[in-house]
Amino acid sequence: MNRAAVRAFRTSSLSTVRILSRTNPRRGFSSSLSILAKAKATASAHANAQANAARQQLYAGNTPLRSSMYFRRLPVALVSSIVVGYGAWYSYNTAAGVAVAPNSTTVSRTLTAQADALPTRTVLVVGADELRQGTIVGEGPISKLTGDDGRRIVEMLTPDQATSKLRKLEQSFSVNRGKGVTRYDLVQLPSNDPIEDDHAEKIVQVPNRSETDNSDWMFWGVFDGHSGWTTSATLRESLINYVARELNNTYKNSQGDTPSNDAIDLAIKTGFNRLDNEIVHKSVEKVFKASSKTVAAELLQPALSGSCALLSFYDSRSKLLRVACTGDSRAVLGRRSESGKWTATALSEDQTGSNPGEASRMQNEHPGEPHVIRNGRVLGGLEPTRAFGDAVYKWSKDVAWKLRENFFGRSPSPLLKTPPYVTAEPVVTTTKVQPENGDFLVLATDGLWEMLTNEEVVGLVGKWIETRSHEASRSQFDAAWTKIFGSSKSPLPVEAGTQASPDGNKTPIRLAQWGIDPAAKDRFIVKDNNVATHLVRNALGGTNDEQVCALLTLPSPFSRRYRDDLTVQVIFFGQGEKKGEVTLNLEASAPEGLKPKL
């Protein structure tokens, strides 16, 4: 075979921002104007007394939420009727952009003369460990903290605003290369600020010595960062290149023959390990050589933060799909069964301290260290047992202390004895894809799997496919109805799962946190053209618009207690047109969506 990895057809990536919230779907949100009359009656009171009364009304009789870090169902304490007057809790931006704090006369006039005329808006009152709902009167944006106690008022998104937020970072591409892939959709939804997730895609044209037609190497990757965004951004920029280079060398060394499966797996693992070595160890060498804090600040960031990585590699010639997993992101294959329903097959296993296989591996690699996995975490701290970066679990104590004393870094754990404890080496699985049968692949960071099971994800994609296939036969009225309200609430077309959840794949812990019955009917809906956005909408609440709006309203960092960053990719296999191009699907992409670079 001639030199592979000749031409990179496209790469796209995106980094953004993040958000989160919680509500009890059984109770929902409610508000009224019952306090408005009281506010009018006492509008002539002194401003300070009025502000104190407003505070008492706003917070009295409500049990604050506890942090969701406890991972158990939390009752939402919502205020049934709250009115917040001008100036008491927030100020408005004027046309010149200056916040104006009205005096007591202004407050009185506002409440008495304008209360009936001004619109009301639903808001969330956000505290350190609480979440409440209220109503504000008037127009204009909310511009600052609600008071010295640090509470904030956040205006609730409407369903249309929630949809806009869901679709802000969606992208969809048609792959018209006739190589076994017809389309892929992706979306990101931030919760951290900035988002710590990232992603990358690339198609590499590979000349074939014995064939006139070239083949394609197609890569898709999602990267779930933690303790910062710099490691995942490094993976977005470099991981596919490192892996493609190793694959290229492996194919060249095979002298025209197809390399063995073990050789290909080794090439992928080598690409992962070499990049992590560059991030964790080569950076330290450069810092010590430069002896500069400026250099250290730049080079050590990807080492001190961390990221999981999930990379899929599809060879159009062999139709083999390889999935390399480092960490707890997950890949699931959807395939139609003889019954007409879809089956869900996990192509990766969550690598955390709670996975018995990973815990056993760690204990064997570090004998005599009973706390190598403590409370399901590496040395009691890091949840994934495999990750890029996270150098404090890989550096020796001497290196860690030298960096801390002279440049930057964290103190090593007192339990650290025989590093490295964390590896970037992935577990690689291989699957024969059936493009003619319409297989599809879902790659997602763990935030999605905290909300949906493998079967629900595959069933939701199957339902989305069915809905689109029926669009042409629907009446104009049905099409308009579906556009507004979504498709009918029929059961998901998926076979029951047979894989045990404790076997390395997390269960959807957010359902218990949000108080949702997993067996509840009519949870899901189809109303998005982008299937990745469709998955995220249903993960957040589906048919429950109030919950979806609430989960998208809360700002970072409060949002992180109720949902994680979300990055989802869905790849459709099939026999498409052979035009040699990748094009943007405008109807399923945000207006600012990235165009493919060919």
Side-chain angles (χ1 to χ4, degrees), residues 249-260:
N249 293 336
T250 299
Y251 273 81
K252 285 196 302 180
N253 293 336
S254 67
Q255 298 180 347
D257 297 328
T258 301
S260 67

Side-chain angles (χ1 to χ4, degrees), residues 26 28 45 60 131 134 186 197 236 239 256 275 278 291 566 593 597:
R26 298 179 178 177
L131 168 63
L186 64 95
D197 281 6
R236 179 236 303 162
L239 182 58
L275 177 55
E278 187 73 27
S291 190
L566 291 167
K597 301 176 182 178

Side-chain angles (χ1 to χ4, degrees), residues 115-383:
D116 288 328
L118 292 173
T120 61
R121 296 178 290 168
T122 303
V123 297
L124 293 181
V125 181
V126 183
D129 289 298
E130 62 186 350
L131 168 63
R132 306 162 191 243
Q133 185 190 9
T135 302
I136 62 173
V137 181
E139 297 176 341
I142 299 167
S143 62
K144 68 176 193 176
L145 292 177
T146 60
D148 294 337
D149 53 14
R151 291 184 174 90
R152 297 178 63 184
I153 290 181
V154 183
E155 186 171 357
M156 282 280 288
L157 297 179
T158 66
D160 285 343
Q161 290 171 331
T163 291
S164 296
K165 191 166 189 174
L166 280 172
R167 297 175 179 175
K168 183 178 181 180
L169 300 178
E170 68 179 6
Q171 300 174 57
S172 175
F173 298 96
S174 293
V175 184
N176 303 309
R177 296 184 54 75
K179 303 294 185 181
V181 174
T182 60
R183 168 174 172 154
Y184 68 91
D185 290 9
L186 64 95
V187 74
Q188 286 192 291
L189 182 65
S191 185
N192 288 306
D193 183 7
I195 189 171
E196 295 179 349
D197 281 6
D198 223 314
H199 66 89
E201 306 79 35
K202 181 173 289 187
I203 298 176
V204 178
Q205 180 176 288
V206 182
N208 292 328
R209 176 177 298 175
S210 59
E211 301 177 12
T212 57
D213 190 21
N214 297 325
S215 61
D216 281 351
W217 288 353
M218 303 185 184
F219 298 90
W220 295 271
V222 295
F223 314 121
D224 184 1
H226 47 263
S227 301
W229 55 269
T230 53
T231 312
S232 60
T234 301
L235 301 186
R236 179 236 303 162
E237 293 291 336
S238 303
L239 182 58
I240 292 177
N241 292 337
Y242 270 70
V243 171
R245 185 183 305 122
E246 296 300 326
L247 288 169
N248 183 47
N249 293 336
T250 299
Y251 273 81
K252 285 196 302 180
N253 293 336
S254 67
Q255 298 180 347
D257 297 328
T258 301
S260 67
N261 289 333
D262 289 343
I264 295 175
D265 290 354
L266 179 60
I268 296 173
K269 294 177 181 180
T270 301
F272 273 57
N273 286 328
R274 285 188 173 174
L275 177 55
D276 191 56
N277 183 65
E278 187 73 27
I279 292 171
V280 174
H281 299 295
K282 295 295 184 181
S283 61
V284 172
E285 294 176 10
K286 295 175 183 178
V287 167
F288 286 156
K289 184 176 181 179
S291 190
S292 165
K293 287 193 174 183
T294 302
V295 173
E298 178 181 352
L299 295 182
L300 294 181
Q301 288 186 58
L304 293 172
S305 60
S307 180
C308 301
L310 183 67
L311 183 69
S312 64
F313 162 49
Y314 177 68
D315 185 345
S316 66
R317 182 183 181 188
S318 65
K319 297 183 181 179
L320 291 179
L321 172 69
R322 286 178 169 84
V323 172
C325 180
T326 293
D328 57 2
S329 297
R330 192 183 305 171
V332 176
L333 181 75
R335 174 169 291 170
R336 197 180 293 274
S337 65
E338 294 181 357
S339 68
K341 294 183 178 181
W342 297 89
T343 60
T345 303
L347 303 186
S348 64
E349 189 175 82
D350 302 349
Q351 299 157 356
T352 67
S354 300
N355 181 338
E358 284 294 289
S360 177
R361 176 184 65 82
M362 295 282 290
Q363 290 161 359
N364 291 335
E365 292 178 357
H366 304 275
E369 297 184 49
H371 298 298
V372 63
I373 297 293
R374 188 169 68 174
N375 299 325
R377 294 173 178 266
V378 179
L379 303 184
L382 183 66
E383 184 172 17

Side-chain angles (χ1 to χ4, degrees), residues 447-491:
L448 183 73
W449 311 109
E450 291 176 350
M451 307 184 213
L452 296 171
T453 66
N454 296 353
E455 287 71 32
E456 287 172 339
V457 166
V458 168
L460 283 165
V461 176
K463 182 62 178 176
W464 181 89
I465 293 173
E466 288 183 356
T467 301
R468 289 181 63 87
S469 66
H470 294 155
E471 284 180 351
S473 61
R474 289 182 304 180
S475 67
Q476 185 176 0
F477 175 80
D478 289 338
W481 179 274
T482 300
K483 184 176 181 180
I484 298 173
F485 299 105
S487 65
S488 60
K489 305 176 184 66
S490 56

Side-chain angles (χ1 to χ4, degrees), residues 51-66:
N52 291 335
R55 288 188 178 91
Q56 293 173 3
Q57 288 180 338
L58 187 61
Y59 301 119
N62 293 278
T63 303
L65 285 179
R66 295 186 66 187

